[in-house]
Amino acid sequence: MILATKVGDWLDERVKWRQVWDAIFLRKVPKVNWLYTLGSATLFLALNQGITGILLTIYYVPTPDNAYDSVQYITTQVSGGWLIRGLHHWGASAMVVLVLLHMIRVIIYGAYKYPREITWFTGVVLLLVVMGFGFTGYLLPWDQKAFWATTVGTRIAGTPPLIGDWILQIVRGGQELTAVTLARFYGVHVWFLPATLLLVTAIHIYLVIRIGISAVPKREKK
Ligand code: HEM
């Protein structure tokens, strides 16, 4: 018996991991099509964003004096830095596209209906989280485009009557875009949103496995 199987058996006798493995990977699924891979593709990109994002934090410095230079340094000096940054940058856009396509598939197939309402609800939270990642991440390179896009974006957030100014102050950490804004966006981008993504994705996937995937809807024969 190969060593891997022996180790696997040894562990299974103690922690029963094969039950979990079978429930995830050997569960029965209806005959589906390629559109059902959009959720897993989004999951794969989330993993890519997590790994490349962690690697970027090794050199990225979230202060107005250093942010721009540290991003230039990553792109031009760090070996493979251009690739890691490129994967994170394009991965972010691809994730927004895929999460929307996944949602459109769910809408068109009516997969949000009973008993999958909570899966849908967790999906809505995930959509907001993905948009939050995009919004906060855009400021981090601290170049002209980032600065002015966030100036406009936060101003829009501050437009509701009565509470608008209060929202603007919270988002910017003051009246203007400053070091506090950058620190705030960085904190939300690398701590708050990833923690929420991890938790809500776990619930989302748990529900997908527990309830089972929906079948492709068919027209009733008369
Ligand atoms: C980070 C974002 C997301 C990830 C990683 C993700 C992941 C997944 C995966 C792997 C599946 C099973 C395979 C599939 O149906 O494609 C799934 C199913 C599902 N997702 Fe998502 N999802 C995300 C966002 C969303 C959004 C934005 C919605 C809707 C608002 C949503 C609603 C659903 C529903 C209702 C199902 C069950 C579909 C069925 O049973 O046919 N998800 N998701």
Side-chain angles (χ1 to χ4, degrees):
M1 207 185 336
I2 37 174
L3 184 67
T5 322
K6 270 191 174 171
V7 175
D9 287 348
W10 187 89
L11 266 177
D12 192 52
E13 269 179 35
R14 285 153 184 86
V15 293
K16 296 273 175 282
W17 66 272
R18 285 213 171 96
Q19 276 178 9
V20 181
W21 178 275
D22 290 358
I24 297 173
F25 295 110
L26 300 182
R27 72 202 145 95
K28 293 224 174 346
V29 288
K31 192 170 166 12
V32 289
N33 58 38
W34 281 95
L35 296 176
Y36 283 73
T37 59
L38 290 166
S40 308
T42 315
L43 193 62
F44 174 78
L45 278 183
L47 198 70
N48 169 69
Q49 293 309 97
I51 295 170
T52 53
I54 289 172
L55 290 175
L56 286 173
T57 64
I58 297 174
Y59 283 100
Y60 177 75
V61 184
T63 59
D65 283 351
N66 300 303
Y68 179 80
D69 289 339
S70 67
V71 171
Q72 295 310 309
Y73 187 77
I74 290 169
T75 318
T76 59
Q77 305 295 318
V78 179
S79 71
W82 61 273
L83 180 64
I84 299 298
R85 183 174 176 223
L87 284 171
H88 198 76
H89 178 95
W90 292 106
S93 299
M95 197 166 162
V96 173
V97 173
L98 280 180
V99 81
L100 288 174
L101 290 177
H102 169 56
M103 194 174 81
I104 291 169
R105 192 289 281 173
V106 166
I107 294 173
I108 291 176
Y109 282 20
Y112 54 83
K113 292 179 195 167
Y114 173 85
R116 298 186 178 78
E117 299 95 327
I118 308 174
T119 319
W120 169 266
F121 175 72
T122 54
V124 173
V125 178
L126 287 175
L127 182 69
L128 293 175
V129 169
V130 171
M131 283 160 45
F133 268 120
F135 185 56
T136 51
Y138 205 82
L139 178 68
L140 302 185
W142 201 250
D143 50 12
Q144 287 291 322
K145 203 168 67 165
F147 187 89
W148 293 109
T150 306
T151 303
V152 174
T154 49
R155 196 173 288 157
I156 294 170
T159 49
L162 303 175
I163 51 165
D165 198 50
W166 179 71
I167 295 176
L168 184 95
Q169 294 249 10
I170 290 188
V171 179
R172 287 187 180 172
Q175 283 296 338
E176 306 294 329
L177 246 71
T178 60
V180 180
T181 323
L182 184 57
R184 198 158 281 200
F185 273 49
Y186 182 69
V188 170
H189 193 80
V190 305
W191 288 115
F192 178 73
L193 291 175
T196 314
L197 185 80
L198 220 60
L199 179 72
V200 182
T201 306
I203 301 173
H204 195 73
I205 304 295
Y206 170 78
L207 290 172
V208 168
I209 293 169
R210 189 81 182 92
I211 300 171
I213 200 88
S214 67
V216 180
K218 288 197 182 75
R219 206 178 285 276
E220 267 182 37
K221 285 195 190 102
K222 285 197 183 137

